[in-house]
Amino acid sequence: MEQSIHPDSNIYKFPIHPFKRFNKKCVEFKQPVEITCFSYDENRQLHMDDRESRYYYPPNLEDCNLSVGYENLIQKSEGPEPIHSLLDALIHLNETKGDEVKADIVSWRGIFTKLLCTPYNRNESWEFGATLYNVSIHETEQTRLYREGSTPKAKLMGYWGYKFEALCTIGVPATEIQSPDDPELLARKNTIVNTNIQYCSVSKTSLGKNRLIMGAEVDCLIDFNPPYPENPINRYIELKTTKILKNERDNFLFERYKLIKFWAQSFLIGLPKIIVGFRDDDGNLCSLKEIKTLEIPRMVRGKDKMWDAVICLNFLNEFFEWLRRVIDIEDANSSYVISFKEPYQEIEVTFCHNKNPVLADRHLKSFGK
Ligand code: A3P
Ligand code: MG
Ligand code: MG
């Protein structure tokens, strides 16, 4: 750490304005490299392998209502994802391969995504906790209210995204599919959606001088003909659903508010391709579009009231540099709360001293200073 502060110090603030300080040469972002992966099975048991990875196979658009099977949905317990499984994966990597983890910040990709979009998402509050070696998400009042007060329609719409994943993926490489009646293809129509199941990739990268490790859920992959690319991330595909775009205004809202998130989510782990499923208001899947992650910033560049990927990246780099100067955690009973809330002018960092260790003993043994 370049600078330490007394633990009893007050609140530290990182202003979002003036915006133009981020409008300069883009900070270097290294191509992310996968270092390990893990899976959660249907019972939410953790496995240090890729058993839950799925292959992409285009859905049959003629018969695609995303509400089908909603009544059978099996949903994992809600609330923020603890960081423990990601740290367990890093320990496992060290124990099995002797690879040592060198990073300044370890967290879920979802957190980095929120941070990266912050300059342009000035009405979404968030709160993260930072402790020795990691940043994890806290539930804010806004997200709790959203989750608990969510309407039946909003819950159903949440299901559409998962159902789209089920309809776009199979358990074997696409090259093994012989005909449209292949049992793998027929089975996916009736798959019971279980959100416990996840395949996660862990990658390392750096943004300027900030070394990052991210855990990210990956929806599916494509089977290249051998030889496979060395970095498995090149094979990954992100699936997203969105409303069909009927007019200029829909188009603007999609590019301004959705594309930035699509880009940030996939760019951060170097994932090259996003398949977008456009659906109508009743959840019927109408069309598909393939978007290359790296082409997204160019799709919106120069357009009025849009966003700029360079500003997002420079912002994140400078925020991380500042955060690492402000935060100096010596023990696992200390943590910081990092929050962004109304009136959305600055990010606040507050020191806390928790009575109970934030990390489990096994993590302290492996990562503790
Ligand atoms: P869509 O993004 O297509 O709507 P992901 O795309 O990140 O893999 O997430 C898969 C799906 O999980 C999402 O699909 C959405 O349906 C659901 N989901 C993810 N985050 C959510 C959130 N914060 N609230 C509600 N649903 C969410
Ligand atoms: Mg996903
Ligand atoms: Mg997805």
Side-chain angles (χ1 to χ4, degrees), residues 252 300 302-306:
F252 169 78
V300 301
K303 292 193 180 170
D304 198 26
K305 300 198 180 94
M306 270 299 154

Side-chain angles (χ1 to χ4, degrees), residues 198-210:
Q198 283 181 325
Y199 165 65
C200 295
S201 161
V202 181
S203 56
K204 67 171 181 188
T205 183
S206 58
L207 177 69
K209 294 193 184 110
N210 306 291

Side-chain angles (χ1 to χ4, degrees), residues 74-175:
I74 300 170
Q75 198 152 23
K76 78 174 163 75
S77 65
E78 298 204 42
E81 187 70 32
I83 197 80
H84 296 163
S85 50
L86 176 55
L87 298 180
D88 284 345
L90 297 178
I91 293 173
H92 182 77
L93 181 69
N94 181 254
E95 286 172 354
T96 53
K97 294 204 183 137
D99 290 356
E100 222 185 296
V101 176
K102 289 204 183 94
D104 300 302
I105 301 174
V106 176
S107 193
W108 295 116
R109 181 263 312 268
I111 289 178
F112 290 91
T113 304
K114 269 199 195 305
L115 286 169
L116 189 58
C117 296
T118 293
Y120 294 99
N121 275 348
R122 241 80 72 59
N123 56 0
E124 277 179 41
S125 65
W126 49 251
E127 185 177 303
F128 306 137
T131 182
L132 195 66
Y133 272 99
N134 83 87
V135 180
S136 58
I137 200 158
H138 288 176
E139 191 165 53
T140 65
E141 190 59 8
Q142 192 188 35
T143 47
R144 189 183 62 77
L145 285 174
Y146 175 77
R147 179 164 64 81
E148 290 176 356
S150 186
T151 61
K153 179 75 194 257
K155 285 185 176 153
L156 173 65
M157 288 169 72
Y159 174 76
W160 289 348
Y162 294 116
K163 181 69 181 177
F164 179 58
E165 288 178 0
L167 292 174
C168 286
T169 62
I170 51 178
V172 297
T175 44

Side-chain angles (χ1 to χ4, degrees), residues 161 165 217 219 238-240 265:
E165 288 178 0
E217 198 229 339
D219 292 337
E238 172 61 44
L239 302 169
K240 303 300 293 183
Q265 180 187 32

